[in-house]
Amino acid sequence: MIVGIYCGSRSGGDPIYTSTAQSVGQSLALLGVEIVYGGGRVGLMGAVADAALSKGGRVSGIIPRLLVERETAHTGLTRLHVVENMHERKAKIAEIAEAFIALPGGAGTFEEIVEQWTWGQLGIHQKPCAFLNVKGYFDPIKSMIENMVSEGFIQRDHADMLTFSDDLGVLLERFKNYIPPPRKWT
């Protein structure tokens, strides 16, 4: 399995975010799960990659040329794909990954995982999406999605496409058993 990881290019204010990112990287590597991510060496992105690599894992990075020029690219990865822009980066990660996990992060992390969820709703792909809910970080997003359902903006089965858990094992189990709902506008 190849899992797309979305997470912060910063480490956040609580050390639990970095230690969880390291644990995720190590655990996925030990399970033989390959990682594809944004290709950075900084923040939680770098923590996940370094931890996976330290356990012999395979890690592919997809990074826009602009960020390579700013010297944020991780140069010790299994593979590093340099693309022209963020759109190409997101498309390449979506092409390679078989499932997606968001760890804590900022606007980019949120935008990337929501795009994959949207693509799943539209039937562009049938890949599961999940939030590793470290310290309840994603609780406001979960509440917002419940509000979308209660206000009639999304269907219950499309909200249920997402898994929220603070346990990586729960997310991986859900991935193995994932059955996508009918696409929107069938």
Side-chain angles (χ1 to χ4, degrees):
M1 174 179 269
I2 303 170
V3 173
I5 299 287
Y6 301 119
C7 58
S9 61
R10 298 182 65 166
S11 298
D14 188 325
I16 193 170
Y17 297 129
T18 298
S19 64
T20 300
Q22 291 167 332
S23 177
V24 166
Q26 291 172 354
S27 296
L28 292 176
L30 293 172
L31 291 169
V33 175
E34 186 173 335
I35 294 169
V36 60
Y37 81 116
R41 64 173 169 75
V42 295
L44 298 187
M45 294 173 69
V48 168
D50 288 340
L53 293 165
S54 77
K55 296 297 182 186
R58 297 181 54 78
V59 182
S60 295
I62 316 296
I63 193 164
R65 186 170 313 286
L66 172 69
L67 296 180
V68 172
E69 292 167 1
R70 292 182 184 172
E71 300 179 355
T72 63
H74 195 305
T75 58
L77 302 175
T78 309
R79 285 186 301 273
L80 182 65
H81 302 274
V82 178
V83 296
E84 292 307 312
N85 56 53
M86 292 296 286
H87 296 293
E88 287 182 34
R89 173 201 225 175
K90 293 187 301 177
K92 188 74 171 169
I93 291 173
E95 174 190 323
I96 294 170
E98 298 168 300
F100 306 94
I101 299 174
L103 279 69
T109 299
F110 180 64
E111 184 265 337
E112 289 169 324
I113 191 69
V114 169
E115 180 173 68
Q116 293 312 317
W117 174 44
T118 301
W119 289 6
Q121 290 177 58
L122 295 173
I124 294 170
H125 67 64
Q126 297 185 330
K127 303 173 184 183
C129 298
F131 292 84
L132 189 63
N133 199 16
V134 180
K135 211 176 96 172
Y137 184 80
F138 292 113
D139 287 348
I141 292 171
K142 187 175 183 181
S143 294
M144 183 179 73
I145 292 166
E146 288 303 315
N147 191 50
M148 290 174 179
V149 172
S150 68
E151 294 295 329
F153 286 100
I154 63 170
Q155 300 168 202
R156 166 55 52 204
D157 59 349
H158 289 147
D160 291 343
M161 293 169 73
L162 300 172
T163 302
F164 290 82
S165 179
D166 63 355
D167 184 332
L168 178 63
V170 168
L171 304 184
L172 296 176
E173 189 63 29
R174 172 70 194 263
F175 290 172
K176 282 195 274 184
N177 299 310
Y178 181 72
I179 299 171
R183 69 177 186 224
K184 186 175 180 179
W185 313 119
T186 54

